[in-house]
Amino acid sequence: MRRPLTERHEVLPALAEVFREHGFEGASLTRIGQATGLGKGSLYHFFPGGKTEMAAAVLAEIDAWFEAHVFAPLCGVQDPERAVGAMLESIGRYFHSGRRVCLVGLFALGDARGTFARPVRTYFRRWVDALASALVRGGLAPASAADLAEDAVMTIQGAIVLTRALEDPRVFERAGSRVRERLRLKRR
Amino acid sequence: MRRPLTERHEVLPALAEVFREHGFEGASLTRIGQATGLGKGSLYHFFPGGKTEMAAAVLAEIDAWFEAHVFAPLCGVQDPERAVGAMLESIGRYFHSGRRVCLVGLFALGDARGTFARPVRTYFRRWVDALASALVRGGLAPASAADLAEDAVMTIQGAIVLTRALEDPRVFERAGSRVRERLRLKRR
DNA sequence: GTCTATAGATCGATAGAC
DNA sequence: GTCTATCGATCTATAGAC
């Protein structure tokens, strides 16, 4: 019952980066092995379900991170306007100003689409709902809040696509400014 | 010098659909063969460069389609407001209200990223510029037009991501309404 | 031009030594 | 737990018959 030298949890960040970089199909076990420093034997020891279980674990970790650092704060008791600002700052850092892909968005677009449809749907629904709840507590009508939240999340996803396409992080920064302005504007 | 029974051009739509459905890495020659009804021999006859050349040809065809049906009309002499409306209608049909992936956006996110960076960048830059030019002719200042055009294109890309994630085409339709409203609102 | 057969590499996954 | 060796399947690409 001793603590193992390497825990499953510890390899998840490297694992996530491989999936982000190469997609599900492109993330070969060889590449995963190089990125994590683990042989196939060890990988299958931690993830008996193989690559699918690895990707599922990564998605779960991402979801947990967003739940703790983005979704929950949005639903928290503190000033909603502050919470929205904090969200934009958090995700700006998380996505490296759009240089880093959103793995959930990538999976939504087609890479291993069917397999992870449910966690993908849950993640985005939760994001939109959490943001909408903050807007409602900020004084917005539920219908407008839902509309505005949906718009904000899709703008962020689109900003990642366009930032990578144009290879210009300023695209992401400008998107952040627009979203911030829109979320503030409507409340007055 | 007789006309061949099958022309390279004729298999491009089926080819494009395979890449959209499975991404670059996931589009195996077996699947491509099934979708096009061509054996590997024939495929390599039309595309000596293999899968990379197939994807490049598909991207070129997509670019040509958008140039003819979206970009050029935006830069045309007709009423800019009408042109913007026509763009939204065109892309709504093209992307099947967000159920169909934008292959260029998918490639931008990571699937075969390095290989097609240039056509991807060109496509999106052209799209933003064409839309901005229409807005300028509609009476907007160049700076605002560029900002608004960038926002519109990224919203559409994000709408595709979110529509597929939530499996709800109404997400895309709502995005179209918002973009239409934003592009109209600012001009007055 | 189109096919089948197949090469050669790499894939995901497993087995078993240590 | 971690490794190496290796399996069978699948991959891209080629060769050659027709």
Side-chain angles (χ1 to χ4, degrees), chain B residues 44-81:
Chain B
Y44 274 89
H45 170 71
F46 288 122
F47 307 96
K51 214 166 75 161
T52 304
E53 186 174 342
M54 297 180 206
V58 165
L59 280 183
E61 159 120 323
I62 290 174
D63 196 80
W65 191 93
F66 272 80
E67 184 59 42
H69 295 86
V70 180
F71 306 156
L74 281 173
C75 299
V77 290
Q78 71 158 322
D79 176 19
E81 176 134 6

Side-chain angles (χ1 to χ4, degrees), chain A residues 39-75:
Chain A
K40 295 184 186 181
S42 305
L43 287 171
Y44 273 88
H45 170 71
F46 288 123
F47 306 96
K51 214 166 76 160
T52 304
E53 186 175 342
M54 297 180 206
V58 165
L59 280 183
E61 158 121 323
I62 290 174
D63 196 79
W65 191 94
F66 272 80
E67 184 59 42
H69 295 85
V70 181
F71 306 155
L74 281 173
C75 300

Side-chain angles (χ1 to χ4, degrees), chain B residues 3-38:
Chain B
R3 182 188 178 279
L5 292 177
T6 307
E7 288 186 22
R8 173 180 148 132
H9 184 83
E10 295 174 25
V11 305
L12 286 181
L15 211 42
E17 215 41 47
V18 179
F19 283 121
R20 268 189 280 261
E21 201 71 29
H22 300 97
F24 183 76
E25 306 250 23
S28 70
L29 289 188
T30 302
R31 274 200 262 247
I32 291 174
Q34 287 167 352
T36 58
L38 260 49

Side-chain angles (χ1 to χ4, degrees), chain A residues 36-128:
Chain A
T36 58
L38 260 49
K40 295 184 186 181
S42 305
L43 287 171
Y44 273 88
H45 170 71
F46 288 123
F47 306 96
K51 214 166 76 160
T52 304
E53 186 175 342
M54 297 180 206
V58 165
L59 280 183
E61 158 121 323
I62 290 174
D63 196 79
W65 191 94
F66 272 80
E67 184 59 42
H69 295 85
V70 181
F71 306 155
L74 281 173
C75 300
V77 290
Q78 70 157 322
D79 177 20
E81 177 134 5
R82 246 184 126 78
V84 168
M87 175 195 87
L88 286 170
E89 207 184 321
S90 277
I91 64 116
R93 258 184 284 115
Y94 183 86
F95 291 123
H96 298 169
S97 294
R99 281 177 296 251
R100 187 201 232 184
V101 159
C102 175
L103 186 61
V104 194
L106 179 57
F107 280 4
L109 273 194
D111 224 347
R113 176 158 165 55
T115 317
F116 304 110
R118 190 202 300 250
V120 165
R121 193 171 53 239
T122 303
Y123 167 90
F124 279 112
R125 194 153 46 193
R126 173 81 174 117
W127 192 349
V128 172

Side-chain angles (χ1 to χ4, degrees), chain A residues 21 25-26 31 101 105-106 108-110 113 120-121 124-125 147 150-151 154-155 157-162 164-167 171 174-175 178 182, chain B residues 21 25-26 31 101 105-106 108-110 113 120-121 124-125 147 150-151 154-155 157-162 164-167 171 174-175 178 182:
Chain A
E21 202 70 28
E25 306 249 22
R31 273 200 263 245
V101 159
L106 179 57
L109 273 194
R113 176 158 165 55
V120 165
R121 193 171 53 239
F124 279 112
R125 194 153 46 193
D147 193 72
E150 183 177 279
D151 176 60
M154 80 168 57
T155 299
Q157 290 297 310
I160 296 173
V161 174
L162 205 57
R164 284 179 68 92
L166 298 178
E167 297 174 301
V171 172
R174 284 194 291 263
R178 277 190 294 260
R182 245 173 246 156
Chain B
E21 201 71 29
E25 306 250 23
R31 274 200 262 247
V101 159
L106 179 57
L109 275 194
R113 177 157 165 57
V120 166
R121 192 171 54 239
F124 278 113
R125 193 153 47 192
D147 193 72
E150 184 177 280
D151 175 62
M154 80 168 58
T155 300
Q157 291 297 311
I160 295 173
V161 173
L162 205 57
R164 285 180 67 91
L166 299 177
E167 297 174 302
V171 172
R174 284 194 292 265
R178 277 190 294 261
R182 245 173 245 156

